[in-house]
Every structure is written in C-alpha cells, then in structure tokens.
Amino acid sequence: MASQKKFWQWSRGTYRFLIVLCASVLIISIIMFYKYGDELHWDAKEKDTYIETPENDTERIENGIHLRTGLKEGVGLTETINNCTTCHSAKLVTQNRMDRERWTATIRWMQKTQNLWDLGPNEEIIVNYLVTNYPPGKKGRRENLDNVEWYELKN
Amino acid sequence: MNRRKFVRRSALAAFAGLIGTDIVFGAKMTEGYVPLGAQDPDPFDLFDKDPEMVLLNDKPWNMEARAHLLDDSITPNKYMFIRNNGIVPEQNEVSDWKLTVDGESVKQQKSYSLSDLKSRFAPHTYQLTLECGGNGRAEFDPPAKGNQWTIGAVSCAQWTGVRLRDVLEDVGIKNDAVYIGYHGADLHLTRDPNKEPISRGVPMSKALQDETLIAFQMNGKDIPLVHGHPLRLVAGGWPASVSGKWLKRISVRNKVHDGEKMEGSSYRMPCEPIAPGEVISDDDMCIIESMPVKSLITHPKSGAMLAKGKTMDIRGHAWAGELEVGKMEYSIDFGATWKPCSLEKPVNRLAWQRFSANIAFPKKGYYEIWAKATDTKGLSQPMILPGWNPKGYLNNACHRIAVKIT
C-alpha cells in the first residue's frame, strides 16, 4: 500500500535525521570541549550569551493575521492564544461575534463546565482583545446575498 | 526483530509521546495506520471529504456542505457535514466493542457485541434526514454563540442497523421508562475522563419508532470513523445531536435524560418566544424535538447566468422533521408571487423529498430564486429569520440563490 510505504519512508527518514543530528552534536561537543574547555566560564552571569533562534514560521503574523491560529493581531493576542486555544480551536473564537457581557459570560460558562482555569489579570486583557477584534455587527432580519461567484449555466 | 518491526514499534512509541498517552491496542494497530492524534490534520484527506466542503472548526472537527454539493438523492460521505463536540475516539480494533443497555428503567442490564446485534436482530435500512439543530445559526442577529453553520449542516444518507425498539424489548423495559440517553466513546476536549462531550437522547415515543436505529452501516458500508464507527444511534427528523456517535451505552431513564448538552440552553428554545437579544433564564428553555419544515435548492449553484429566452431547471430537497412536506413552491420576485414545484414522495418516512421546477424569466436582470416548503400541517418556511433564540437554533428561513438573465 502506498500509505504504508510512505509511512515507512517517513519513519526511516526521521530516524536517520535524528541519528545523524545526535551524532554530530556529540562529536562537535567533544571537539569543542577539548579545544576550548579551559576558557569556559561556568557561571553564566559572568558573561552575556546570546542564543540566536531561527524565526518560527508558524508564529508569523501577516496582514494582521496570526498565521497559525487565524486570530487577528492586537493587544492581548498572546494571552488569548495561551488561554483560549488549549482545549478548542481558535476557529471557535474567530467564528463568533459577541459584546463584552456575552464574551465574559462565555468565559464563565467554560470555567463552570469546561475546566477553564481562573484567568486572573489576563481576563481583562483577553476580553478587551475579543471585544475589540470580534464585536457583533448588524445583520438585520435577512442579509443580501453576497460573495456570489457568477458563472455561465450550461443546461 | 526485523528492521520494519523496529521502525513500526519505535514509531508507535513516538506517537504515544506526541499524544501524551499510551495507545491502547497499539500492538493490534494495522500496519500503516496512523492514529488520528498524530495525523497531519488535513480533514479533507482524513475524512474523505470533498475539497469544496467548508471547515468551520478543527478542534473539535466541524465541517459543512454547500447547497450545490447536496444535490444527490442519497448524500455520499464526501458531502456529509461533520458536527463533533469532542475528540474522535482513537479506534482501530472493534471486535471487542460492546453496547450496554442500562439505566433505572431496564429490567436487567445487558450487553451486546457487534455480532450479537447483527445476528440476533433483523436489519432495517432507511434513508434518514439528519440536520444539526444549529444549521443556519450564522444568520441570527444579535449573533448566536457556537459554530457558525450557514445552510450545509444537513444530510440524508441511507442507514442500516437494528431497531432500537427490538433491542429494548430484548432487554426488558419497566413501565416507568421516560427517556433514553446515549453515551459514546468520544473524549471531552479537555481529555478529562470524567467528562462526556455530549450525551443526549429522546423520549420513549421517539425511541420506539420503526425508523430509530442502532446503525452499523451508512450507504451500504461500515459507518466512517468520523460519523460514528462502529455504531451510531440514528433518529431522523430530530436535531442530529440525538443521533449519538461511537455508541457504547444506552441508558433507559425514569426521567428526562440529564446528560451533557441536554440541559441549560443546549438544544433548547425559549418555551415562549422572546425578542432578539433578550436574556432568558435556563428554566424557561424547552428541549427541541422535531426539526421544522425546510428546503434547499441544490441545482443550479447560486450565481448562474443564463441567456434571455432560455428556461432554467431547478431542483432540490425538502424535509419536515417528523412530518412530510405537502407542498413546494418557488418565487423569483422576492415572495410577491409563488409558483408550484413538482414534489416527490419520500422513499420512506423521515427521508427528504426531491422537488423540481422549470422557470421562465420575464426580462433580463438580477433575480433571486426563493424556495418555500409547507408541511402536511400547513406550516411553511418563513422568508425572514424565525424566532431569535440565544443559541441560534431552528433557522428554517427559505433558501435563496442568485441568478442573472443576460
């Protein structure tokens, strides 16, 4: 089966990569320790070290949207991601539009029934973020049909 | 241990690490099977859904169809909406699956294996309309909380299984039985084992209907995992949330079932109508039973352009919960005039009904085709939104498509 083969190839690839990675780290560490061991300062406070981390693609924000979650960029985004996307998808947030009272009531309901923790000082930050970025709009009793994709009908 | 076995076992360990829990029956897992928790979460691949389906939520999985995808008389899996409340159970080995019937109102608790169910009771097949209670929620103003379904949370597949009634008779039911409640194998989103994501049910009168099934097949094949494999309670015409997936247990209750999403405002409507946005106490909310009359134009797809002088064939489906649809009409002038559609009888009770019409347009321009079904008790679909309610249920406002005559 193709899926089996793909899975096997994937596993093999992953393990090869891991083995090579571990081996390289080990060898480089030994060499470095041997060459520069004496110069090492064991107390980290003595010397500032900077670790460069490559920018994580999935945490990028483009056109005001946090790519991984689809949430809008704004004050409180991080707190919202950390507290509101552990159990459910951010899509449940981005689909909904509520005022302050109803977003707060939703948090209370999750705390009462869905194991949501006490948000502490983050609650105000999160509710402000939600009300600012996902407030209710007026739809009336029936909206116009929009986003119509026009096409020639062949009978 | 050969290399292949080693790779597979280490991969299992890695999966367990990723998921953060041991994989029960991991040793029995089919080669090449990747547990759901570790899979690349492309739900279209994962659940064999058409790429034109619309993903609403990925944790839990929720996906809806678009009107033109629902044109088949019998909805195929690829166009069937997904509404999940919890996490799809990791499940590959079902030979030891048991269905238990218990509760205050059984004469004895009894369990059945899949083969018991298949061999001891007569199989029945019905085409059953399943519509999410919140289908159409997206239109409510003020907005209602939850997944914002537009029109596509409805399906009418063919379900095969045994009658719940036959199984309940075999178990023996006491006279004080009021309700049945289901329990499934899905996990709560928090993975808290003491919580159920959903556990709803129906009164005995619905439980004992011919068409209420403990189903093991959908459209002639094993039920797809995301739709409840290996067993699903199917009760057509009612909110689809009463058709419990991954069925492990049925409790026969001496009171209205009080499982998860039976109480509060879940799947309930204001007992007395309220104004849009009005705050209402949970005590004044009543459980939804039959779904209301509704219809969808499944052909043509909205946006059709046609040359003047040509006529347009339209078709779709209409359904009416527990009832039948008695009349189907369309309008091209925003409800000023209505013309009849031809309407077929359902293949069985609780199945949707095909309608069709051939439309001539008086002049060039923009039109909307509106469809309106009327049930056998004379209730019709409203043209604007029906009664506002806090959770946005039961929007059966008539379906509209846009067309242009050029």
Side-chain angles (χ1 to χ4, degrees):
Chain A
M1 280 197 311
S3 66
Q4 234 174 293
K5 201 176 165 196
K6 211 171 142 193
F7 171 69
W8 182 72
Q9 280 173 345
W10 169 80
S11 319
R12 199 178 55 169
T14 310
Y15 277 91
R16 263 190 200 161
F17 173 74
L18 280 173
I19 289 164
V20 170
L21 187 76
C22 293
S24 326
V25 168
L26 190 69
I27 291 164
I28 291 168
S29 318
I30 292 167
I31 292 170
M32 297 292 272
F33 193 75
Y34 182 74
K35 284 186 87 175
Y36 304 110
D38 290 346
E39 293 166 38
L40 279 180
H41 297 272
W42 295 103
D43 187 351
K45 277 178 202 157
E46 277 181 35
K47 195 180 171 188
D48 279 337
T49 51
Y50 295 94
I51 302 160
E52 253 186 67
T53 49
E55 200 190 329
N56 194 343
D57 253 4
T58 57
E59 296 304 318
R60 235 182 34 233
I61 289 173
E62 249 175 42
N63 302 323
I65 299 293
H66 178 248
L67 291 184
R68 180 171 62 82
T69 58
L71 287 163
K72 288 185 192 166
E73 183 183 16
V75 179
L77 171 65
T78 310
E79 290 81 355
T80 305
I81 293 172
N82 292 345
N83 290 282
C84 306
T85 64
T86 314
C87 296
H88 63 72
S89 168
K91 285 178 185 289
L92 202 53
V93 176
T94 56
Q95 283 187 71
N96 279 283
R97 299 289 181 274
M98 289 184 251
D99 57 18
R100 178 171 301 275
E101 195 188 343
R102 295 189 62 226
W103 279 118
T104 308
T106 304
I107 289 173
R108 291 287 167 274
W109 172 78
M110 287 187 283
Q111 286 170 333
K112 202 173 143 197
T113 66
Q114 307 294 306
N115 295 1
L116 175 62
W117 45 87
D118 181 356
L119 296 170
N122 281 334
E123 179 171 312
E124 198 184 338
I125 298 169
I126 291 168
V127 173
N128 283 341
Y129 169 82
L130 293 170
V131 176
T132 309
N133 294 289
Y134 302 100
K138 277 281 154 209
K139 283 186 270 190
R141 209 78 206 205
R142 205 91 214 243
E143 287 185 294
N144 281 344
L145 296 176
D146 51 10
N147 301 322
V148 179
E149 298 158 22
W150 295 103
Y151 66 97
E152 293 283 348
L153 179 66
K154 308 265 184 285
N155 252 356
Chain B
M1 194 189 288
N2 64 29
R3 186 192 162 96
R4 193 177 184 128
K5 253 188 195 156
F6 170 75
V7 167
R8 196 170 141 231
R9 284 193 194 166
S10 354
L12 260 182
F15 280 144
L18 273 177
I19 299 166
T21 166
D22 271 351
I23 301 177
V24 184
F25 303 127
K28 290 186 191 166
M29 238 158 63
T30 318
E31 263 192 82
Y33 175 84
V34 185
L36 281 177
Q39 283 171 0
D40 173 24
D42 178 348
F44 301 93
D45 272 0
L46 206 57
F47 305 128
D48 286 325
K49 297 296 174 185
D50 188 274
E52 278 200 86
M53 296 284 282
V54 181
L55 182 68
L56 296 184
N57 202 337
D58 48 19
K59 194 180 165 189
W61 292 115
N62 283 281
M63 192 188 275
E64 73 171 333
R66 300 164 71 191
H68 67 281
L69 302 179
L70 291 170
D71 197 37
D72 298 274
S73 293
I74 298 174
T75 312
N77 173 60
K78 63 179 174 176
Y79 298 138
M80 180 179 263
F81 75 100
I82 299 173
R83 198 288 182 252
N84 284 343
N85 291 266
I87 299 167
V88 178
E90 317 251 333
Q91 166 204 109
N92 192 39
E93 187 60 50
V94 296
S95 57
D96 49 4
W97 191 275
K98 282 241 179 317
L99 171 70
T100 301
V101 184
D102 64 6
E104 303 96 350
S105 296
V106 291
K107 288 183 178 156
Q108 51 168 347
Q109 182 176 317
K110 218 166 167 179
S111 290
Y112 302 89
S113 67
L114 289 182
S115 54
D116 287 341
L117 288 172
K118 288 177 188 173
S119 61
R120 295 185 44 196
F121 304 99
H124 296 273
T125 299
Y126 297 104
Q127 217 188 306
L128 298 166
T129 308
L130 293 186
E131 182 181 15
C132 175
N135 197 19
R137 174 177 296 142
E139 284 196 282
F140 281 102
D141 179 21
K145 198 181 81 175
N147 286 300
Q148 300 296 303
W149 305 101
T150 62
I151 42 118
V154 61
S155 67
C156 194
Q158 203 179 55
W159 296 91
T160 301
V162 299
R163 284 186 175 139
L164 174 60
R165 186 180 65 213
D166 292 347
V167 175
L168 293 183
E169 271 170 17
D170 185 68
V171 171
I173 301 302
K174 293 186 199 161
N175 288 333
D176 64 353
V178 171
Y179 231 86
I180 63 108
Y182 67 75
H183 303 274
D186 44 345
L187 299 173
H188 193 266
L189 286 180
T190 57
R191 294 189 180 270
D192 179 346
N194 300 315
K195 282 187 172 294
E196 281 183 291
I198 188 164
S199 168
R200 304 198 68 244
V202 291
M204 291 312 293
S205 56
K206 179 68 178 169
L208 299 178
Q209 280 182 1
D210 282 357
E211 300 84 3
T212 301
L213 298 179
I214 297 170
F216 41 79
Q217 283 193 336
M218 185 183 107
N219 296 338
K221 292 184 193 147
D222 282 355
I223 300 173
L225 177 58
V226 77
H227 294 299
H229 185 257
L231 280 185
R232 181 171 186 180
L233 180 67
V234 184
W238 285 41
S241 58
V242 305
S243 295
K245 302 175 185 178
W246 313 289
L247 187 65
K248 293 290 288 182
R249 189 154 67 89
I250 289 176
S251 301
V252 184
R253 310 297 309 269
N254 61 4
K255 57 179 182 181
V256 174
H257 181 56
D258 52 1
E260 189 60 34
K261 306 221 171 179
M262 281 303 294
E263 300 185 308
S265 56
S266 293
Y267 301 101
R268 284 174 182 246
M269 288 287 282
C271 303
E272 291 164 359
I274 60 172
E278 201 176 316
V279 176
I280 178 172
S281 150
D282 284 351
D283 298 336
D284 298 323
M285 300 285 281
C286 289
I287 299 172
I288 299 169
E289 300 199 328
S290 171
M291 292 294 287
V293 62
K294 200 164 171 179
S295 60
L296 268 186
I297 301 165
T298 57
H299 178 88
K301 182 183 161 189
S302 186
M305 295 189 296
L306 192 70
K308 189 179 178 301
K310 287 190 174 170
T311 62
M312 184 182 284
D313 286 318
I314 65 158
R315 60 176 181 264
H317 309 289
W319 60 97
E322 277 291 313
L323 300 173
E324 222 174 86
V325 176
K327 187 167 70 170
M328 189 69 213
E329 295 161 289
Y330 74 88
S331 175
I332 57 168
D333 52 14
F334 308 96
T337 61
W338 293 93
K339 294 204 169 78
C341 300
S342 65
L343 177 69
E344 289 173 19
K345 287 298 240 181
V347 293
N348 52 253
R349 214 175 75 80
L350 311 181
W352 64 18
Q353 295 163 249
R354 186 51 109 183
F355 70 80
S356 56
N358 181 264
I359 304 180
F361 295 87
K363 55 182 166 186
K364 287 185 191 174
Y366 172 85
Y367 293 86
E368 288 179 13
I369 304 176
W370 292 10
K372 182 174 77 169
T374 304
D375 69 24
T376 42
K377 285 191 175 163
L379 280 185
S380 300
Q381 292 182 257
M383 286 169 262
I384 58 168
L385 290 194
W388 186 89
N389 62 95
K391 290 302 235 2
Y393 296 122
L394 307 191
N395 175 7
N396 67 335
C398 69
H399 183 222
R400 308 168 297 166
I401 63 167
V403 301
K404 262 183 199 169
I405 305 303
T406 54

